[in-house]
Amino acid sequence: SSPGVHRRRVTTRLRRLLVPAGRFRTMASVPPGGEVRREAGRLPAGPIRLRAEVVHGFGRGSKMLGFPTANMKIEWEADDAGTDLDENARSMLDFAKNCDAGVYAAWAQVADGKDRGVYKTAMSIGMNPTFTDVKRRTLEPWILHDYPEDFYGAELRLIVCEHIRPELGFEDFNDLVVAIREDGEWAKQRLDVAELAKLQQDAWFDDSAPKL
C-alpha cells in the first residue's frame, strides 16, 4: 500500500468464529462489504514519549492471533485510589485515558533487555472491542522484530508517532488477523518517512537515559 488512504474490502463470515462462546463479540462496526480505512494522522502535540514495565496481558497476541504484542503497565488502580504517580506513570495514564483509541505507528525499545535495538511498531490502544473480557483500555505494542525471548518485567520505551486508524470491532476473526497484519505493513511504511524515521535515533533511547 502507498501513503494516503488505504481501503480494504472486508468479507464477513459470521459462521467462522474461532473463539469460544462468550469470548468473541460480533459487532456491526465492520459490516459485510465494509472498509478498513487507514490514513496518516499526526498527533496535535507531536510525537509522544512513553515508558512503562511490560506486564502479562490476556495472552491473545501471540497464542491466538499470531502477533506477539507487549502489554504495558497502566496504573488504573492507583488512579482510582488517588495515589500519587511519578512522571512516567502519569504520562502513560494520561495518554491511555485521553488519546484516540485505535492503532498507531511508533518506535519501541526494550531499554534494559539483551536486545536494545529501536524497532518499528504497530501499537494498539483501546478496549479491544472484538472481545468481551476487556474492562479498561490496554496499550499493546506489536514490535515488528523477532526477539529471542520474552521480556516481561522489562522497561519498554515508545515514541508514538502517528495515528493509523480508529479502533474497530470485527465480526470475523480472520478479518481481524488480516487487519492487524496490514496495520503492521502500514506502520513500517509510514516510519520510513524522513520526519518519522529520524526518531529512531532520538535521545529517548540513549544508553545514558535513566532507567525506571
Side-chain angles (χ1 to χ4, degrees):
S1 54
S2 59
V5 177
H6 171 74
R7 293 184 175 88
R8 179 177 66 83
R9 301 292 290 180
V10 178
T11 302
T12 303
R13 300 176 294 279
L14 289 175
R15 295 182 181 179
R16 299 184 62 189
L17 305 183
L18 304 182
V19 183
R23 296 293 303 282
F24 193 89
R25 178 183 298 162
T26 58
M27 300 183 66
S29 49
V30 183
E35 298 175 342
V36 174
R37 180 186 176 95
R38 297 175 181 85
E39 56 189 343
R42 297 298 171 90
L43 307 182
I48 295 174
R49 291 159 178 80
L50 301 171
R51 57 194 293 197
E53 179 186 354
V54 177
V55 296
H56 288 273
F58 289 92
R60 280 192 283 261
S62 182
K63 295 178 182 178
M64 185 181 295
L65 299 174
F67 306 98
T69 59
N71 196 63
M72 297 182 74
K73 186 176 183 178
I74 304 173
E75 297 282 2
W76 294 114
E77 291 78 12
D79 186 50
D80 292 341
T83 305
D84 289 336
L85 298 173
D86 64 33
E87 181 180 357
N88 294 308
R90 174 55 60 184
S91 294
M92 277 289 298
L93 182 65
D94 288 346
F95 180 76
K97 290 169 69 173
N98 300 316
C99 73
D100 291 331
V103 180
Y104 291 77
W107 291 102
Q109 177 197 50
V110 183
D112 51 356
K114 294 180 180 179
D115 183 344
R116 298 191 65 255
V118 179
Y119 301 112
K120 295 176 178 179
T121 298
M123 185 196 79
S124 173
I125 182 164
M127 298 293 292
N128 297 318
T130 301
F131 300 91
T132 61
D133 54 353
V134 181
K135 306 304 179 185
R136 309 192 84 157
R137 282 184 168 188
T138 61
L139 194 156
E140 300 178 69
W142 171 30
I143 304 174
L144 303 169
H145 173 75
D146 292 328
Y147 288 91
E149 57 190 14
D150 291 335
F151 43 85
Y152 294 113
E155 175 193 338
L156 188 62
R157 297 188 184 188
L158 294 176
I159 297 182
V160 184
C161 302
E162 283 188 345
H163 186 262
I164 294 175
R165 67 166 173 85
E167 186 173 44
L168 298 169
F170 290 85
E171 296 179 355
D172 184 272
F173 184 82
N174 291 334
D175 287 336
L176 171 62
V177 172
V178 171
I180 295 172
R181 185 177 300 116
E182 291 179 349
D183 292 338
E185 292 302 315
W186 179 270
K188 285 181 182 179
Q189 182 175 246
R190 289 302 305 163
L191 291 165
D192 281 336
V193 174
E195 182 180 352
L196 304 183
K198 67 182 182 181
L199 293 171
Q200 186 179 22
Q201 308 300 323
D202 192 86
W204 186 244
F205 301 122
D206 284 355
D207 288 343
S208 58
K211 303 297 188 295
L212 285 176

